[in-house]
Amino acid sequence: MENSVYEGSDKKRAGILTRSLETGCILTQPIGYIESCFTAKNGTPRQPSICSLSRGCLRISKTVFNNPEHSVMDLQHFSHIWILFIFHKNGHLSCKAKVQPPRLNGAKTGVFSTRSPHRPNAIGLTLAKLEKVEGGTLYLSGIDMIQGTPVIDIKPYIAEYDSPQPVHSCGEEQQERKRQYQKCEDAISNMSGSVSSEQHQEKSQQNYITRFPSTDDTSADKHEISDSQKGILNDKNQTLTLETVAGPSVVVEGPCSSRQPKDGLNAPRQSELMCEEATSKKEIKNRLSSQSCAPNWVKDSPVPSLKVRFTPHSEMELRQFKSPRDSGGPSFRYFQSFEEAKCAISNVLSADPRSVYRRNQCLDRLFYFSLDTIHITCWFGDGFAEVLKIQPVAGQPESKN
């Protein structure tokens, strides 16, 4: 009798959960909580790209999985992860259809056109660099979340899926490749004077068929996969490189028609190599010329970047902090050196972390924020921010010899 009662309650609970999923009304359970170098909202970057030196970690909770390390198996092979989290310090659940993002300096726009934390569902999304995985703990950098942030999900960042790609039909792509290949052949035809025009044309057709088989060919997919070439976007310099299965990375330079013959190569072979490179360049350009766009206020903010300076006294105070490995005096928890800490402080302040209200109504007041184990006092002037004082965060124990 008792078993039938339990079975009935389980079925009822399962039915309720199913209806909740179908209607979208579900209760979330955090998979873990962020341990961050930012202890409060004040001074925390609004976007992860502002301060690449900001660090933290996420420990997968055992209340979600009995073996948290199993849930992150093979995640170390990815360089970045998406993190979905809760804006748990909003203070209230109300939101407005129009908001005033700090980047617009007081102008209003629709909440869904911004990344404002005050949303109908207080869910945040950020991209973090995955430094390493140890057991069920993920070590992160470039974060914009504060201490104790509840995380509801993580997903690997995959550029091929997450970066918008240009849309071409199969036939259009094949025709475009053929046009580019023929254009390159025509541009360097003068280099192959020793080869008759008929031989050169026959050679070109054979090369094209070999490199770009027809879409009707059942082996086309295999050929594309074996000769795939990837465009890699460098974090800072956005240097384009071309990586092939036949050799090392090649830096993409000027147009193929301006290249000179390489020593030891005859004109026809040089023609083949240059056309291969030109086609590869075209593929990379297509990948990077994606369908994404953004308004001017995102790309060119009305709020200019600030120059950051330290008073001699504040710089001396910062130098008293030791790396986590050293002893004697106050120490950092996440930063590894004085230089890293100074750079991180400068990155945060140059993006002007103040709210619109503080910018307009609190011009004569000092600004405070904490970063790692340091508490910073600064003030803002016309086009600059100046660090006045640096102290250990209250209650921070000093390293002992």
Side-chain angles (χ1 to χ4, degrees):
M1 183 67 178
E2 289 184 6
N3 290 337
S4 62
V5 172
Y6 287 137
E7 289 176 2
S9 62
D10 288 342
K11 289 181 180 179
K12 184 177 181 180
R13 188 181 300 110
I16 294 173
L17 291 175
T18 300
R19 287 193 297 273
S20 297
L21 287 173
E22 291 175 350
T23 59
C25 299
I26 62 172
L27 293 175
T28 61
Q29 179 183 6
I31 63 170
Y33 296 85
I34 290 291
E35 296 178 20
S36 172
C37 62
F38 301 107
T39 58
K41 290 193 300 181
N42 220 28
T44 300
R46 298 186 179 95
Q47 302 299 333
S49 58
I50 290 176
C51 185
S52 61
L53 291 170
S54 59
R55 297 190 179 100
C57 68
L58 171 64
R59 304 180 195 276
I60 306 300
S61 174
K62 288 189 176 182
T63 61
V64 179
F65 297 110
N66 291 331
N67 300 294
E69 63 276 8
H70 292 179
S71 67
V72 294
M73 185 173 65
D74 294 330
L75 189 62
Q76 72 274 11
H77 300 304
F78 295 91
S79 64
H80 294 76
I81 59 173
W82 292 109
I83 301 177
L84 283 88
F85 62 93
I86 301 294
F87 288 111
H88 67 303
K89 291 293 186 181
N90 272 1
H92 54 81
L93 294 177
S94 62
C95 60
K96 296 180 179 180
K98 288 186 178 181
V99 295
Q100 296 173 289
R103 196 171 182 84
L104 275 177
N105 205 26
K108 289 186 177 182
T109 189
V111 65
F112 293 133
S113 299
T114 73
R115 298 188 175 186
S116 168
H118 302 287
R119 321 179 70 81
N121 297 292
I123 297 175
L125 173 68
T126 191
L127 184 66
K129 181 174 175 56
L130 182 62
E131 297 291 349
K132 63 178 179 177
V133 179
E134 289 185 354
T137 302
L138 314 181
Y139 291 87
L140 312 167
S141 65
I143 63 173
D144 57 354
M145 297 167 287
I146 68 174
Q147 179 74 21
T149 297
V151 174
I152 57 176
D153 200 9
I154 57 174
K155 301 175 187 293
Y157 171 80
I158 305 174
E160 284 76 8
Y161 306 154
D162 297 338
S163 298
Q165 302 294 318
V167 180
H168 299 294
S169 67
C170 194
E172 289 175 346
E173 184 174 350
Q174 200 74 7
Q175 289 297 323
E176 180 63 20
R177 285 181 174 180
K178 189 172 182 179
R179 282 195 296 270
Q180 292 298 322
Y181 194 88
Q182 188 60 48
K183 184 177 180 180
C184 188
E185 281 287 323
D186 294 341
I188 59 176
S189 59
N190 294 334
M191 297 172 56
S192 55
S194 59
V195 182
S196 66
S197 59
E198 292 182 1
Q199 292 174 329
H200 188 67
Q201 184 177 4
E202 183 179 355
K203 180 76 171 178
S204 300
Q205 293 175 349
Q206 291 175 351
N207 290 341
Y208 179 81
I209 293 173
T210 301
R211 277 189 50 77
F212 307 114
S214 170
T215 54
D216 297 331
D217 191 347
T218 57
S219 64
D221 291 340
K222 295 181 180 179
H223 181 85
E224 290 292 345
I225 294 174
S226 63
D227 288 340
S228 64
Q229 298 169 326
K230 303 177 181 179
I232 303 173
L233 190 60
N234 196 322
D235 287 342
K236 294 292 184 181
N237 299 325
Q238 297 186 347
T239 303
L240 296 178
T241 64
L242 177 64
E243 182 175 322
T244 69
V245 295
S249 297
V250 178
V251 177
V252 178
E253 298 175 346
C256 72
S257 58
S258 64
R259 287 291 186 88
Q260 298 300 320
K262 298 179 180 179
D263 295 338
L265 293 178
N266 56 32
R269 179 56 182 156
Q270 177 68 12
S271 170
E272 294 176 30
L273 292 177
M274 292 167 70
C275 287
E276 289 176 4
E277 182 178 353
T279 305
S280 300
K281 291 177 187 176
K282 180 67 177 179
E283 291 172 355
I284 292 175
K285 184 177 180 181
N286 280 342
R287 288 188 60 193
L288 296 179
S289 301
S290 64
Q291 303 296 318
S292 65
C293 61
N296 290 333
W297 65 266
V298 173
K299 295 180 287 186
D300 302 314
S301 173
V303 181
S305 296
L306 303 177
K307 293 182 179 179
V308 180
R309 62 196 190 197
F310 291 70
T311 63
H313 183 70
S314 66
E315 191 162 329
M316 181 185 67
E317 291 176 325
L318 184 59
R319 288 186 181 276
Q320 295 176 358
F321 285 78
K322 311 295 182 183
S323 71
R325 299 181 300 272
D326 297 336
S327 59
S331 62
F332 299 118
R333 180 183 178 188
Y334 296 100
F335 298 132
Q336 301 300 314
S337 65
F338 158 81
E339 288 77 16
E340 273 196 4
K342 184 177 181 180
C343 182
I345 294 171
S346 298
N347 289 341
V348 169
L349 291 177
S350 65
D352 197 345
R354 296 174 298 171
S355 64
V356 175
Y357 177 82
R358 283 181 176 270
R359 288 175 192 163
N360 297 329
Q361 306 297 328
C362 306
L363 297 176
D364 57 343
R365 296 185 183 180
L366 298 177
F367 185 83
Y368 308 91
F369 70 101
S370 297
L371 180 56
D372 200 343
T373 58
I374 52 182
H375 183 73
I376 300 104
T377 302
C378 60
W379 74 287
F380 292 86
D382 188 11
F384 71 89
E386 184 174 45
V387 178
L388 304 175
K389 192 174 185 179
I390 291 179
Q391 295 177 308
V393 172
Q396 179 68 27
E398 292 189 358
S399 300
K400 297 181 179 179
N401 291 322

